[in-house]
Amino acid sequence: MVGGLVFLIVTAILNVCLGASGLSLSDIWKALISGPGTSATSRILWYARLPRILACILAGAGLAVSGAVIQKVLANSLASPGIIGVNAGAGLAVSACCAFGLYSAWAIAGASFAGAMLATFLVVTVGRRSHASRTTVVLGGVAVTACLNAITETIITMVPDAALASIDFRVGGFSSVNQGRLIPAGILIVAGILVVCTLTNELDVLSLGDDTARSLGLNVAAVRNGMLTLAALLAGASVSFAGILGFVGLIVPHISRKIIGNDSGKLIPFCAIAGAGFVSLCDLLARMLFAPFELSTGIILSFLGGPFFIWLLRRRKEDN
Amino acid sequence: MVEIRDLRVSYEGEEVLHGMDAHFPKGKISVIIGPNGSGKSTTIKAMMRLVASDSGSVEIDGEPVSSLSQTELARKMAYIPQGRNVPDITVNRMVMHGRFPYLSYPRRYRPEDHEMVRKALEWVGLTDLAHKKMSQLSGGQRQKVYLAMTLAQDTGVILMDEPTTYLDIRNQFELLDRARLLAKEGKTVIMILHDLESVLRYADHVVLMDSGSVTASGTASEVLASEALKKAFGIELSFIETEDGVHCFVKR
């Protein structure tokens, strides 16, 4: 846990320091304590670097916690907001929102949440109704993702203005983050993670299986739906400013479980920290690797996430 | 004391319990026996309100289960399911979950919760394994963890659905011995068993089910010698008395 925090702080500081124009720690400190000012350092810090690192931390934490919750609730280690279509639902909603000319931060955050919810319940109810196996839920999610993305693409083609710096949005990235959109989403993410942290015992009892959970007095249906709503809220809020960042919600919970164990009381906070650190690191790489060209953070995430997912699939096969 | 009156349960429109009546005395081991599909598990699940009943009542010490919230029920009656998950957590964490019905939001454990868990682990003899993962234990040890969890739940009634299945003979006897101790402490122990020899040895009260209703009940020797048993299983038993008690053998 402490290691995770140190990792997060180091990547955050590096992220603030490094960039097209390097800033020294003492410059940053001066600019930080004197508040937003007119000097170049101050502007870079307050209007570019700080919002960006905040966005990385919020999106990383939100998506990682969302993924951990979804994996626990569905008892499926292959599930994540990216896989079961939650991110795609949020992405569609945001594009639709912009296509209709609604650019207010709260409208976008709200639409994003609504889209995420819609996709979640679509996948989960279809899965439940057909008594689906874990694999079927994942496949259903892939199908839902494909459909939703197709609609998003159609909207973007017909209303190009809806594209919102489109490449960045579709693969996920932070180059166009603005404070306005960050604030409502940030409030939702922080509140959502705090609520999840108070419900970790419920989450663990739920994963004992329906009958045991109910015999311990847990209202299984309410907790399951409530937790999925929270997961959709976290993923939706993250997507609303960071775009469709794949894989964070899948990789981070897995790595975290390896490091800290499966006890939600520790796992959820650790996921938040690790997710924040991981996305910050990817963003740093995205900006630095091919400087002065900047890759989308989502591209780096996919570079790391793709091979990891393949490794995971292979390992599961060996387990069986 | 648990009393079931005229309990009817349906699955997908088909009635599987046809107005069942039974009582389970306090401080005794009651065993439900019957062929596969006769409604034993359904009865236990309906008692725990894991399946909805169409009509009838289940009462614990005269109090209808239907008037309790799920949490209140969880403080009176514990349940060990037949299919037992092996969650990826430690033994101690698993037993801590037994305290869940006593925690109010945000579910912080109090010193007495830790004390109950410590005692429960000690009682089943797993104190040394408290920090092992569930997946590292043998089947017999896992079953003891589930038993410890129900003890931490501190209920007057304990339901066990085939608790000895998958256990070797020594672990079977060990579990049943512990169940007997629990009954002596005044708990109402209700379990489903298939091994009639164990039933004869351990059951104080036996309820025989056949096709969704009770066809005989009473002491083990009464029920096992009954015509109803012959009808339910299509077998006949013969009994032999040794210095070690009465034993039964199947004759066809």
Side-chain angles (χ1 to χ4, degrees), chain A residues 236-257:
Chain A
S238 305
V239 168
S240 75
F241 62 86
I244 303 172
L245 276 178
F247 283 122
V248 186
L250 181 69
I251 304 176
V252 174
H254 273 286
I255 297 175
S256 302
R257 250 196 303 276

Side-chain angles (χ1 to χ4, degrees), chain A residues 24 47 61 65 99 103 167 173 180 201 218 233-234 244 247 256 262 287 310 314:
Chain A
S24 74
Y47 298 107
V65 171
Y103 288 102
I167 291 292
N201 235 319
L218 187 78
L233 174 83
L234 287 171
I244 303 172
F247 283 122
S256 302
N262 205 10
R287 291 191 297 127
I310 291 168
R314 280 181 53 86

Side-chain angles (χ1 to χ4, degrees), chain A residues 198 202 208 214 262-263, chain B residues 70 85 88 93 105 107 153:
Chain A
T198 66
E202 274 80 353
L208 298 178
R214 211 167 293 148
N262 205 10
D263 190 347
Chain B
Q70 197 76 39
N85 279 3
D88 185 24
R93 197 74 193 84
Y105 188 83
R107 317 276 184 201
Q153 209 175 326

Side-chain angles (χ1 to χ4, degrees), chain B residues 1-239:
Chain B
M1 160 97 163
V2 177
E3 184 123 31
I4 299 180
R5 277 198 213 97
D6 194 32
L7 186 67
R8 286 171 193 277
V9 174
S10 316
Y11 279 133
E12 288 165 4
E14 200 180 325
E15 192 171 274
V16 289
L17 285 189
H18 315 294
M20 118 150 222
D21 292 286
H23 77 279
F24 304 99
K26 187 178 161 69
K28 305 270 184 221
I29 294 184
S30 299
V31 178
I32 306 177
I33 59 173
N36 296 127
S38 57
K40 305 182 296 297
S41 290
T42 306
T43 304
I44 279 198
K45 285 186 178 178
M47 289 165 77
M48 199 71 226
R49 291 214 324 234
L50 301 176
V51 297
S53 47
D54 301 339
S55 65
S57 70
V58 176
E59 288 177 5
I60 303 175
D61 297 328
E63 194 173 7
V65 161
S66 55
S67 69
L68 303 172
S69 74
Q70 197 76 39
T71 309
E72 287 167 338
L73 179 58
R75 293 179 194 167
K76 292 182 186 290
M77 192 145 75
Y79 165 72
I80 304 184
Q82 186 180 1
R84 297 181 288 274
N85 279 3
V86 186
D88 185 24
I89 54 177
T90 63
V91 169
N92 189 63
R93 197 74 193 84
M94 186 77 190
V95 180
M96 291 297 284
H97 285 318
R99 299 303 296 164
F100 186 78
Y102 296 92
L103 306 177
S104 53
Y105 188 83
R107 317 276 184 201
R108 293 244 168 272
Y109 292 111
R110 301 152 301 173
E112 62 257 42
D113 298 317
H114 290 281
E115 183 57 21
M116 288 292 289
V117 168
R118 195 189 60 75
K119 275 194 200 148
L121 279 170
E122 199 175 85
W123 198 82
V124 298
L126 286 183
T127 308
D128 294 342
L129 299 180
H131 297 288
K132 286 257 186 221
K133 283 262 182 79
M134 285 290 282
S135 51
Q136 294 171 297
L137 304 187
S138 71
Q141 290 167 330
R142 278 180 206 152
Q143 185 61 298
K144 283 184 198 163
V145 177
Y146 269 93
L147 186 63
M149 186 165 96
T150 59
L151 291 183
Q153 209 175 326
D154 193 23
T155 56
V157 185
I158 298 181
L159 309 175
M160 306 182 188
D161 194 343
E162 295 190 29
T164 55
T165 311
Y166 311 123
L167 298 186
D168 66 35
I169 191 81
R170 195 179 99 182
N171 277 313
Q172 288 185 25
F173 283 138
E174 202 177 320
L175 183 108
L176 292 168
D177 285 337
R178 286 182 194 281
R180 184 179 273 165
L181 282 176
L182 289 175
K184 284 219 176 89
E185 284 174 20
K187 291 185 190 273
T188 308
V189 180
I190 304 169
M191 60 173 81
I192 296 172
L193 288 180
H194 278 301
D195 177 31
L196 299 179
E197 173 73 20
S198 301
V199 173
L200 199 55
R201 193 183 283 240
Y202 285 95
D204 301 309
H205 180 73
V206 176
V207 172
L208 171 66
M209 291 188 70
D210 192 9
S211 316
S213 9
V214 174
T215 54
S217 65
T219 65
S221 39
E222 283 165 20
V223 174
L224 294 191
S226 68
E227 277 299 308
L229 187 105
K230 224 185 283 181
K231 196 162 158 260
F233 290 104
I235 56 163
E236 218 174 313
L237 295 177
S238 59
F239 299 87

Side-chain angles (χ1 to χ4, degrees), chain A residues 196-212:
Chain A
V196 172
C197 282
T198 66
L199 293 171
T200 51
N201 235 319
E202 274 80 353
L203 210 49
D204 280 338
V205 170
L206 186 65
S207 49
L208 298 178
D210 284 12
D211 282 351
T212 305

